[in-house]
PDB file of all heavy atoms in Angstrom:
ATOM      1  N   ALA A 109     149.601  40.474 130.458  1.00 92.00           N
ATOM      2  CA  ALA A 109     148.914  40.083 129.229  1.00 92.00           C
ATOM      3  C   ALA A 109     147.394  39.811 129.410  1.00 92.00           C
ATOM      4  O   ALA A 109     146.690  39.534 128.495  1.00 92.00           O
ATOM      5  CB  ALA A 109     149.588  38.864 128.696  1.00 92.00           C
ATOM      6  N   ARG A 110     146.889  39.957 130.672  1.00 89.00           N
ATOM      7  CA  ARG A 110     145.497  39.657 130.902  1.00 89.00           C
ATOM      8  C   ARG A 110     144.605  40.685 130.218  1.00 89.00           C
ATOM      9  O   ARG A 110     144.961  41.802 130.089  1.00 89.00           O
ATOM     10  CB  ARG A 110     145.233  39.694 132.418  1.00 89.00           C
ATOM     11  CG  ARG A 110     146.051  38.564 133.051  1.00 89.00           C
ATOM     12  CD  ARG A 110     145.365  37.842 134.197  1.00 89.00           C
ATOM     13  NE  ARG A 110     146.174  36.731 134.618  1.00 89.00           N
ATOM     14  CZ  ARG A 110     147.030  36.822 135.612  1.00 89.00           C
ATOM     15  NH1 ARG A 110     147.178  37.875 136.278  1.00 89.00           N
ATOM     16  NH2 ARG A 110     147.724  35.761 135.904  1.00 89.00           N
ATOM     17  N   GLY A 111     143.485  40.215 129.732  1.00 88.00           N
ATOM     18  CA  GLY A 111     142.517  41.031 129.058  1.00 88.00           C
ATOM     19  C   GLY A 111     142.862  41.319 127.623  1.00 88.00           C
ATOM     20  O   GLY A 111     142.214  42.122 126.963  1.00 88.00           O
ATOM     21  N   ARG A 112     143.889  40.557 127.075  1.00 90.00           N
ATOM     22  CA  ARG A 112     144.255  40.832 125.744  1.00 90.00           C
ATOM     23  C   ARG A 112     144.042  39.613 124.796  1.00 90.00           C
ATOM     24  O   ARG A 112     144.583  39.562 123.683  1.00 90.00           O
ATOM     25  CB  ARG A 112     145.805  41.233 125.727  1.00 90.00           C
ATOM     26  CG  ARG A 112     146.028  42.511 126.345  1.00 90.00           C
ATOM     27  CD  ARG A 112     147.495  42.980 126.378  1.00 90.00           C
ATOM     28  NE  ARG A 112     148.226  42.553 125.210  1.00 90.00           N
ATOM     29  CZ  ARG A 112     149.582  42.341 125.263  1.00 90.00           C
ATOM     30  NH1 ARG A 112     150.236  42.375 126.408  1.00 90.00           N
ATOM     31  NH2 ARG A 112     150.255  41.932 124.211  1.00 90.00           N
ATOM     32  N   GLY A 113     143.262  38.629 125.265  1.00 92.00           N
ATOM     33  CA  GLY A 113     142.926  37.527 124.437  1.00 92.00           C
ATOM     34  C   GLY A 113     143.942  36.407 124.447  1.00 92.00           C
ATOM     35  O   GLY A 113     143.735  35.422 123.726  1.00 92.00           O
ATOM     36  N   VAL A 114     144.959  36.445 125.295  1.00 95.00           N
ATOM     37  CA  VAL A 114     145.958  35.447 125.359  1.00 95.00           C
ATOM     38  C   VAL A 114     145.355  34.096 125.803  1.00 95.00           C
ATOM     39  O   VAL A 114     145.578  33.036 125.160  1.00 95.00           O
ATOM     40  CB  VAL A 114     147.103  35.846 126.241  1.00 95.00           C
ATOM     41  CG1 VAL A 114     148.124  34.664 126.444  1.00 95.00           C
ATOM     42  CG2 VAL A 114     147.857  37.063 125.615  1.00 95.00           C
ATOM     43  N   ALA A 115     144.598  34.116 126.898  1.00 95.00           N
ATOM     44  CA  ALA A 115     144.016  32.842 127.407  1.00 95.00           C
ATOM     45  C   ALA A 115     143.023  32.257 126.434  1.00 95.00           C
ATOM     46  O   ALA A 115     143.046  31.021 126.223  1.00 95.00           O
ATOM     47  CB  ALA A 115     143.291  33.140 128.775  1.00 95.00           C
ATOM     48  N   ALA A 116     142.264  33.065 125.748  1.00 95.00           N
ATOM     49  CA  ALA A 116     141.318  32.586 124.735  1.00 95.00           C
ATOM     50  C   ALA A 116     142.071  31.950 123.562  1.00 95.00           C
ATOM     51  O   ALA A 116     141.645  30.968 123.010  1.00 95.00           O
ATOM     52  CB  ALA A 116     140.397  33.715 124.271  1.00 95.00           C
ATOM     53  N   ALA A 117     143.140  32.562 123.161  1.00 95.00           N
ATOM     54  CA  ALA A 117     143.943  32.052 122.012  1.00 95.00           C
ATOM     55  C   ALA A 117     144.592  30.724 122.466  1.00 95.00           C
ATOM     56  O   ALA A 117     144.652  29.799 121.672  1.00 95.00           O
ATOM     57  CB  ALA A 117     145.077  33.071 121.608  1.00 95.00           C
ATOM     58  N   LEU A 118     145.078  30.639 123.687  1.00 96.00           N
ATOM     59  CA  LEU A 118     145.663  29.370 124.113  1.00 96.00           C
ATOM     60  C   LEU A 118     144.600  28.238 124.164  1.00 96.00           C
ATOM     61  O   LEU A 118     144.866  27.101 123.769  1.00 96.00           O
ATOM     62  CB  LEU A 118     146.350  29.525 125.505  1.00 96.00           C
ATOM     63  CG  LEU A 118     147.757  30.218 125.537  1.00 96.00           C
ATOM     64  CD1 LEU A 118     148.087  30.688 126.874  1.00 96.00           C
ATOM     65  CD2 LEU A 118     148.774  29.231 124.949  1.00 96.00           C
ATOM     66  N   LEU A 119     143.434  28.660 124.670  1.00 96.00           N
ATOM     67  CA  LEU A 119     142.341  27.654 124.752  1.00 96.00           C
ATOM     68  C   LEU A 119     141.922  27.169 123.375  1.00 96.00           C
ATOM     69  O   LEU A 119     141.784  25.948 123.206  1.00 96.00           O
ATOM     70  CB  LEU A 119     141.121  28.282 125.554  1.00 96.00           C
ATOM     71  CG  LEU A 119     140.039  27.414 125.851  1.00 96.00           C
ATOM     72  CD1 LEU A 119     140.454  26.212 126.702  1.00 96.00           C
ATOM     73  CD2 LEU A 119     138.901  28.219 126.552  1.00 96.00           C
ATOM     74  N   ALA A 120     141.829  28.042 122.462  1.00 96.00           N
ATOM     75  CA  ALA A 120     141.457  27.702 121.054  1.00 96.00           C
ATOM     76  C   ALA A 120     142.511  26.760 120.472  1.00 96.00           C
ATOM     77  O   ALA A 120     142.186  25.760 119.817  1.00 96.00           O
ATOM     78  CB  ALA A 120     141.251  28.936 120.224  1.00 96.00           C
ATOM     79  N   SER A 121     143.761  27.034 120.734  1.00 96.00           N
ATOM     80  CA  SER A 121     144.870  26.164 120.164  1.00 96.00           C
ATOM     81  C   SER A 121     144.894  24.859 120.877  1.00 96.00           C
ATOM     82  O   SER A 121     145.092  23.820 120.243  1.00 96.00           O
ATOM     83  CB  SER A 121     146.233  26.937 120.416  1.00 96.00           C
ATOM     84  OG  SER A 121     146.317  28.035 119.655  1.00 96.00           O
ATOM     85  N   ALA A 122     144.551  24.777 122.174  1.00 97.00           N
ATOM     86  CA  ALA A 122     144.449  23.549 122.933  1.00 97.00           C
ATOM     87  C   ALA A 122     143.347  22.624 122.271  1.00 97.00           C
ATOM     88  O   ALA A 122     143.507  21.483 122.088  1.00 97.00           O
ATOM     89  CB  ALA A 122     144.230  23.769 124.380  1.00 97.00           C
ATOM     90  N   GLU A 123     142.213  23.319 121.977  1.00 97.00           N
ATOM     91  CA  GLU A 123     141.139  22.531 121.386  1.00 97.00           C
ATOM     92  C   GLU A 123     141.501  22.005 119.994  1.00 97.00           C
ATOM     93  O   GLU A 123     141.173  20.854 119.654  1.00 97.00           O
ATOM     94  CB  GLU A 123     139.887  23.447 121.299  1.00 97.00           C
ATOM     95  CG  GLU A 123     139.334  23.786 122.674  1.00 97.00           C
ATOM     96  CD  GLU A 123     138.189  24.797 122.621  1.00 97.00           C
ATOM     97  OE1 GLU A 123     137.824  25.242 121.442  1.00 97.00           O
ATOM     98  OE2 GLU A 123     137.738  25.249 123.691  1.00 97.00           O
ATOM     99  N   ARG A 124     142.173  22.869 119.213  1.00 97.00           N
ATOM    100  CA  ARG A 124     142.647  22.436 117.856  1.00 97.00           C
ATOM    101  C   ARG A 124     143.542  21.249 117.981  1.00 97.00           C
ATOM    102  O   ARG A 124     143.401  20.254 117.230  1.00 97.00           O
ATOM    103  CB  ARG A 124     143.309  23.542 117.203  1.00 97.00           C
ATOM    104  CG  ARG A 124     142.534  24.188 116.070  1.00 97.00           C
ATOM    105  CD  ARG A 124     143.321  25.227 115.220  1.00 97.00           C
ATOM    106  NE  ARG A 124     144.188  26.139 115.902  1.00 97.00           N
ATOM    107  CZ  ARG A 124     143.745  27.253 116.511  1.00 97.00           C
ATOM    108  NH1 ARG A 124     142.485  27.529 116.529  1.00 97.00           N
ATOM    109  NH2 ARG A 124     144.655  28.053 117.035  1.00 97.00           N
ATOM    110  N   LEU A 125     144.457  21.311 118.914  1.00 96.00           N
ATOM    111  CA  LEU A 125     145.382  20.200 119.091  1.00 96.00           C
ATOM    112  C   LEU A 125     144.726  18.976 119.519  1.00 96.00           C
ATOM    113  O   LEU A 125     144.944  17.815 119.037  1.00 96.00           O
ATOM    114  CB  LEU A 125     146.483  20.578 120.098  1.00 96.00           C
ATOM    115  CG  LEU A 125     147.567  19.577 120.386  1.00 96.00           C
ATOM    116  CD1 LEU A 125     148.316  19.182 119.095  1.00 96.00           C
ATOM    117  CD2 LEU A 125     148.567  20.093 121.386  1.00 96.00           C
ATOM    118  N   ALA A 126     143.702  19.042 120.421  1.00 97.00           N
ATOM    119  CA  ALA A 126     142.902  17.882 120.872  1.00 97.00           C
ATOM    120  C   ALA A 126     142.154  17.327 119.698  1.00 97.00           C
ATOM    121  O   ALA A 126     142.102  16.028 119.565  1.00 97.00           O
ATOM    122  CB  ALA A 126     141.990  18.309 121.980  1.00 97.00           C
ATOM    123  N   ARG A 127     141.605  18.094 118.843  1.00 96.00           N
ATOM    124  CA  ARG A 127     140.919  17.652 117.663  1.00 96.00           C
ATOM    125  C   ARG A 127     141.849  16.860 116.743  1.00 96.00           C
ATOM    126  O   ARG A 127     141.550  15.837 116.224  1.00 96.00           O
ATOM    127  CB  ARG A 127     140.271  18.752 116.908  1.00 96.00           C
ATOM    128  CG  ARG A 127     138.947  19.185 117.478  1.00 96.00           C
ATOM    129  CD  ARG A 127     138.267  20.285 116.505  1.00 96.00           C
ATOM    130  NE  ARG A 127     137.309  21.024 117.357  1.00 96.00           N
ATOM    131  CZ  ARG A 127     137.574  22.210 117.853  1.00 96.00           C
ATOM    132  NH1 ARG A 127     138.741  22.822 117.695  1.00 96.00           N
ATOM    133  NH2 ARG A 127     136.678  22.844 118.585  1.00 96.00           N
ATOM    134  N   GLU A 128     143.040  17.388 116.564  1.00 95.00           N
ATOM    135  CA  GLU A 128     144.037  16.812 115.683  1.00 95.00           C
ATOM    136  C   GLU A 128     144.421  15.481 116.186  1.00 95.00           C
ATOM    137  O   GLU A 128     144.827  14.543 115.432  1.00 95.00           O
ATOM    138  CB  GLU A 128     145.338  17.694 115.609  1.00 95.00           C
ATOM    139  CG  GLU A 128     145.145  18.920 114.708  1.00 95.00           C
ATOM    140  CD  GLU A 128     146.325  19.892 114.882  1.00 95.00           C
ATOM    141  OE1 GLU A 128     147.394  19.468 115.442  1.00 95.00           O
ATOM    142  OE2 GLU A 128     146.184  21.020 114.378  1.00 95.00           O
ATOM    143  N   ARG A 129     144.378  15.349 117.543  1.00 95.00           N
ATOM    144  CA  ARG A 129     144.679  14.004 118.152  1.00 95.00           C
ATOM    145  C   ARG A 129     143.430  13.155 118.272  1.00 95.00           C
ATOM    146  O   ARG A 129     143.418  12.167 118.964  1.00 95.00           O
ATOM    147  CB  ARG A 129     145.254  14.260 119.542  1.00 95.00           C
ATOM    148  CG  ARG A 129     146.588  15.074 119.467  1.00 95.00           C
ATOM    149  CD  ARG A 129     147.811  14.607 119.992  1.00 95.00           C
ATOM    150  NE  ARG A 129     147.929  13.437 120.703  1.00 95.00           N
ATOM    151  CZ  ARG A 129     148.927  13.233 121.612  1.00 95.00           C
ATOM    152  NH1 ARG A 129     149.846  14.154 121.808  1.00 95.00           N
ATOM    153  NH2 ARG A 129     149.033  12.127 122.243  1.00 95.00           N
ATOM    154  N   ARG A 130     142.423  13.539 117.540  1.00 95.00           N
ATOM    155  CA  ARG A 130     141.132  12.744 117.401  1.00 95.00           C
ATOM    156  C   ARG A 130     140.384  12.646 118.746  1.00 95.00           C
ATOM    157  O   ARG A 130     139.690  11.626 119.022  1.00 95.00           O
ATOM    158  CB  ARG A 130     141.390  11.399 116.828  1.00 95.00           C
ATOM    159  CG  ARG A 130     141.901  11.542 115.414  1.00 95.00           C
ATOM    160  CD  ARG A 130     141.871  10.261 114.717  1.00 95.00           C
ATOM    161  NE  ARG A 130     142.163  10.486 113.296  1.00 95.00           N
ATOM    162  CZ  ARG A 130     142.951   9.698 112.589  1.00 95.00           C
ATOM    163  NH1 ARG A 130     143.507   8.717 113.116  1.00 95.00           N
ATOM    164  NH2 ARG A 130     143.166  10.008 111.267  1.00 95.00           N
ATOM    165  N   CYS A 131     140.505  13.678 119.605  1.00 97.00           N
ATOM    166  CA  CYS A 131     139.736  13.748 120.851  1.00 97.00           C
ATOM    167  C   CYS A 131     138.323  14.278 120.524  1.00 97.00           C
ATOM    168  O   CYS A 131     138.209  15.099 119.648  1.00 97.00           O
ATOM    169  CB  CYS A 131     140.472  14.557 121.902  1.00 97.00           C
ATOM    170  SG  CYS A 131     141.986  13.799 122.509  1.00 97.00           S
ATOM    171  N   HIS A 132     137.388  13.763 121.259  1.00 97.00           N
ATOM    172  CA  HIS A 132     136.014  14.185 121.091  1.00 97.00           C
ATOM    173  C   HIS A 132     135.576  15.195 122.093  1.00 97.00           C
ATOM    174  O   HIS A 132     134.538  15.796 122.012  1.00 97.00           O
ATOM    175  CB  HIS A 132     135.077  12.947 121.163  1.00 97.00           C
ATOM    176  CG  HIS A 132     135.290  11.944 120.100  1.00 97.00           C
ATOM    177  ND1 HIS A 132     134.609  10.796 120.030  1.00 97.00           N
ATOM    178  CD2 HIS A 132     136.161  11.936 119.017  1.00 97.00           C
ATOM    179  CE1 HIS A 132     135.031  10.102 119.024  1.00 97.00           C
ATOM    180  NE2 HIS A 132     135.988  10.766 118.387  1.00 97.00           N
TER     181      HIS A 132
END
Side-chain angles (χ1 to χ4, degrees):
R110 298 219 173 94
R112 293 180 34 212
V114 172
L118 281 163
L119 187 57
S121 293
E123 291 172 6
R124 253 189 316 280
L125 182 58
R127 280 187 201 96
E128 288 171 10
R129 303 236 349 204
R130 297 193 170 136
C131 291
H132 298 177

